[in-house]
Amino acid sequence: MAADSVVLAYRIAVVGSGPRGLAVLERLAARLLDCPAGGPVELFLIDAHTLAGGRVWRPDQPDWFLMNTAAREITMFSGAPDGGPARPGAGPSFAEWWATADPASARPDGYAPRARYGHYLQYLLDAVAGSLPPRVHLHQLRDRVEDLAPAGAGYVLCLAQGGSLAVDKVVLATGHTLPKLGPAEQRLYDFARERPHLHYMRGDSAADMPLDAVPATATVGIIGLGLSFYDVVMALTAGRGGRFAETADGAVTYHPSGAEPVMLAGSRSGMPVLARGFDQRPADAIRKPLLFTEERVLAGADRRSLDFRRDVFPLLVAEMDLAHHATVLRGARGPAAEAEFLREVSATAEHGHPDVCVLAGRHGIGVHEHFDFEESRRPFTGRHFPDQHAFRRELERHLRTDIDRTVRGNYLDPFKAAVQVIRDARSVIRSLVDYGGLKASSHEHDLVRWFSPATVFLAAGPPLHRARALLALVECGALRVVGPEARFTAEPACGRFVVESPQVGRSRTEVDIVIDARIPIPNVAADTSPLTRRLLERGIWTEFVNSRGAPGSEAFRSGGVAITDVPFHPLDRTGVPDTGLYVIGIPTEHTRWGTQVGNGTPGPWNKFIRHADAIAEHALAPCRERAEPA
């Protein structure tokens, strides 16, 4: 090489160090180890928060904030350990690492603190940084990208701390950001801002809320009964020195510290999100969907006007009914009866869509044993209670029922077996609904507003011990669930917030603080991030608009970034993909379905790892074509 020749490094930036960004980084490093590039390569990992885990998984958060996925279901290495050092392509699963890093508390079926997962992500990042081949360098920048602009064949990133960075490719895995407040939330915020004795906390990760500022003397209204609600409640109880104690029979009691505020919570359903059942299914009992397949859905529908409720949901519910009834039969009459039932359903399915409940009736299953999706997601619909005590008794009954089902798990309990189908069928659902697979009205009203919240309620809940802790708080009066269709309003007449349920008599209560315990719905059009705003202004990002449907029907502005299929290039304002950029995860929610669920799984690659690898392969292709100057 001539002395005055300069080999310019090929540069790839990964913006966002959460699991999706780190997965791409791991696959970039693994591919560079397997097949070195034709010249020097510089990788940049950029995050304003922790450089291994970002804001959500940072390792300095309290241990009462838990994951909602069992440790044994997670890996961030794209290959299993092979006897050598941990490195890209070969490293321990989260459960294997946890057992070594914290053997006293580690359990394969356990739900680890988020901080522990943050430490695992740091372990992964250290393994990547320590294993890179010669002429590959990783820069870790704790900074915020505030602008991105095309520059020649690449891009320039403008950083919050004043610098800029020229790169060839950019992976945008920016995760959760804060959108503008909606009209109802803005009213609560404005009301509190004008009254110093009140406070409104907007929806966010509970670890980032100023919950320590809530006085013990305050009366607090909590909006939402989902996963973030559990985090908020734990921070205001266990985080204040309260103690949960387990009795000999597995029940939990709560011993307050005296530093807890008075807590009232509510949601539309009036029921806290259900706990996840133990997944104790034998390997040979995890079967592929029999009725709910892409082929069966499309065989009876027009792909150009696919309607979720009409075309997709009935077969999904049939699959849930099948799991429910098969579990009932196995429990009552043994595996042979279950197998016979499945054979009959399979034979009938060859000639059309079988009525699973009718077939189950022939096997002795009564009407009262059928699975009811609507009743399950809204157990208090149409019911009225004379007072808070009557509602609390019914709520406690439902909570105990869910705990009993959770203990039995999704192999022995018919209800948990049915809702597990939602988790198992996610890939089929995505194949049907992603990229505007549904007509616009069904996409908005059936999928986004109706089905997606229902799936979180039924199948994405907390671990068993969280459910038991919640019941203990309700039983001792430390937490009061107001009731269904709960309303949180600002009342100028009394100068306070008011919480009440129209279905529970005498439930109206005045509160000093309102905490929105709902994670904001991703919406790129309402995102306040400077980077998002500038990408939209430049036309580099656009919002995905679903216009599928009858002529003249209203389009659906989804709130997700418009992208191609794998490797997820954004579509600019002219509809042309920018092949130097990749957008994954939360910003694309509603363009793709279920992007908030993301991790690798041990064993064969799942789509999380396959998608990360596809991005890495595409991003590295140009540098493999580069030849060094003679």
Side-chain angles (χ1 to χ4, degrees):
M1 183 184 301
D4 59 347
S5 296
V6 177
V7 180
L8 297 178
Y10 183 77
R11 295 174 141 200
I12 302 173
V14 177
V15 181
S17 68
R20 292 187 188 274
L22 290 177
V24 174
L25 181 67
E26 194 263 1
R27 286 310 304 158
L28 287 167
R31 282 183 166 272
L32 288 167
L33 281 169
D34 290 342
C35 182
V41 175
E42 291 186 86
L43 304 175
F44 295 84
L45 180 65
I46 310 170
D47 200 300
H49 304 279
T50 306
L51 278 165
R55 185 166 71 101
V56 173
W57 304 106
R58 64 179 190 269
D60 62 348
Q61 59 191 297
D63 278 356
W64 51 76
F65 296 133
L66 299 183
M67 305 180 72
N68 72 314
T69 304
R72 66 179 175 83
E73 299 175 17
I74 302 170
T75 189
M76 283 298 296
F77 287 90
S78 56
D82 60 3
R87 63 193 185 281
S93 69
F94 179 47
E96 291 168 335
W97 172 87
W98 191 18
T100 301
D102 185 16
S105 63
R107 292 180 295 110
D109 290 321
Y111 293 74
R114 287 183 204 150
R116 197 75 68 249
Y117 189 53
H119 286 293
Y120 174 65
L121 296 176
Q122 182 65 59
Y123 176 84
L124 168 77
L125 180 56
D126 291 344
V128 169
S131 305
L132 294 173
R135 308 187 73 190
V136 177
H137 186 70
L138 173 63
H139 305 268
Q140 301 181 40
L141 306 181
R142 190 166 181 176
D143 207 337
R144 177 178 287 103
V145 177
E146 295 200 330
D147 198 2
L148 180 157
Y155 307 89
V156 171
L157 307 181
C158 297
L159 306 177
Q161 295 180 21
S164 62
L165 179 65
V167 297
D168 297 282
K169 303 283 186 179
V170 185
V171 180
L172 294 161
T174 49
H176 286 283
T177 57
L178 293 179
K180 298 175 185 175
L181 293 175
E185 292 75 25
Q186 189 67 50
R187 283 193 293 272
L188 296 174
Y189 173 81
D190 290 342
F191 188 74
R193 186 177 56 179
E194 296 164 0
R195 294 162 177 82
H197 61 288
L198 302 181
H199 189 56
Y200 168 75
M201 293 188 194
R202 64 166 301 157
D204 197 1
S205 169
D208 291 309
M209 290 180 171
L211 297 173
D212 288 344
V214 176
T217 55
T219 303
V220 178
I222 303 173
I223 305 176
L225 297 172
L227 287 169
S228 188
F229 154 75
Y230 282 85
D231 291 337
V232 169
V233 169
M234 288 302 113
L236 296 176
T237 54
R240 298 289 181 95
R243 184 171 58 86
F244 293 95
E246 189 170 330
T247 62
D249 61 356
V252 171
T253 58
Y254 182 66
H255 303 274
S257 67
E260 302 90 344
V262 176
M263 293 180 290
L264 299 93
S267 68
R268 284 174 292 182
S269 73
M271 180 73 189
V273 62
L274 304 182
R276 280 188 63 184
F278 286 125
D279 190 1
Q280 77 283 64
R281 294 173 293 176
D284 59 358
I286 303 176
R287 59 177 181 80
K288 293 182 179 179
L290 177 63
L291 303 176
F292 184 62
T293 65
E294 183 178 4
E295 295 73 22
R296 290 185 65 83
V297 171
L298 297 180
D302 183 351
R303 191 64 164 106
R304 294 167 298 178
S305 60
L306 199 65
D307 184 285
F308 188 84
R309 285 202 195 228
R310 182 191 66 207
D311 303 318
V312 180
F313 184 66
L315 283 176
L316 175 60
V317 168
E319 193 72 49
M320 296 173 75
D321 286 333
L322 182 61
H324 183 275
H325 297 323
T327 307
V328 171
L329 283 169
R330 186 186 343 107
R333 301 210 299 270
E338 175 193 24
E340 176 58 31
F341 172 61
L342 292 174
R343 279 193 296 269
E344 183 175 354
V345 172
S346 180
T348 308
E350 294 179 2
H351 306 288
H353 298 327
D355 189 323
V356 176
C357 294
V358 170
L359 294 176
R362 296 175 187 171
H363 289 258
I365 296 178
V367 174
H368 67 283
E369 295 177 288
H370 295 327
F371 174 79
D372 188 318
F373 186 90
E374 275 302 311
E375 183 179 341
S376 298
R377 65 179 282 269
R378 290 289 180 87
F380 305 121
T381 297
R383 301 186 60 185
H384 294 268
F385 303 88
D387 54 36
Q388 192 67 50
H389 296 293
F391 175 72
R392 191 179 91 173
R393 286 193 298 271
E394 186 65 4
L395 174 66
E396 289 177 358
R397 185 182 70 82
H398 278 276
L399 292 173
R400 292 190 188 98
T401 296
D402 185 55
I403 287 169
D404 291 343
R405 288 169 169 171
T406 302
V407 171
R408 288 194 295 271
N410 56 24
Y411 183 62
L412 300 178
D413 184 79
F415 180 90
K416 293 299 182 182
V419 298
Q420 177 64 31
V421 168
I422 298 173
R423 299 182 64 85
D424 294 342
R426 284 187 299 214
S427 62
V428 178
I429 297 172
R430 289 179 181 128
S431 70
L432 293 164
V433 307
D434 283 0
Y435 307 105
L438 300 172
K439 64 181 184 181
S441 59
S442 185
H443 186 179
E444 178 180 5
H445 298 289
D446 299 337
L447 182 70
V448 173
R449 296 189 180 182
W450 175 69
F451 181 71
S452 292
T455 65
V456 173
F457 176 79
L458 293 171
L464 173 64
H465 62 280
R466 274 288 192 258
R468 283 175 165 162
L470 186 71
L471 176 59
L473 292 170
V474 172
E475 287 177 328
C476 76
L479 169 70
R480 190 179 113 201
V481 177
V482 177
E485 302 298 336
R487 300 168 182 166
F488 295 77
T489 57
E491 298 288 344
C494 65
R496 300 178 78 188
F497 297 116
V498 169
V499 182
E500 64 181 326
S501 166
Q503 294 175 227
V504 178
R506 299 191 293 278
S507 62
R508 178 185 170 93
T509 307
E510 297 177 1
V511 301
D512 311 300
I513 298 173
V514 170
I515 300 173
D516 194 335
R518 300 169 298 180
I519 295 295
I521 296 173
N523 184 350
V524 67
D527 193 343
T528 58
S529 158
L531 175 60
T532 299
R533 304 314 313 156
R534 286 170 183 144
L535 288 169
L536 290 171
E537 289 166 4
R538 294 180 188 278
I540 297 171
W541 275 12
T542 56
E543 181 181 5
F544 173 66
V545 179
N546 184 347
S547 57
R548 180 172 295 195
S553 59
E554 188 173 349
F556 171 46
R557 302 191 67 86
S558 71
V561 177
I563 54 170
T564 67
D565 202 345
V566 180
F568 310 125
H569 301 304
L571 301 177
D572 68 17
R573 62 164 57 105
T574 67
V576 175
D578 189 327
T579 57
L581 301 178
Y582 314 86
V583 189
I584 52 173
I586 303 297
T588 67
E589 181 66 21
H590 307 320
T591 306
R592 299 172 62 219
W593 181 73
T595 62
Q596 299 185 58
V597 179
N599 57 261
T601 54
W605 285 4
N606 64 355
K607 284 191 175 181
F608 178 85
I609 296 179
R610 291 203 302 271
H611 290 167
D613 183 65
I615 292 171
E617 179 182 28
H618 189 276
L620 287 171
C623 79
R624 299 202 184 287
E625 298 166 2
R626 288 187 178 184
E628 292 188 12

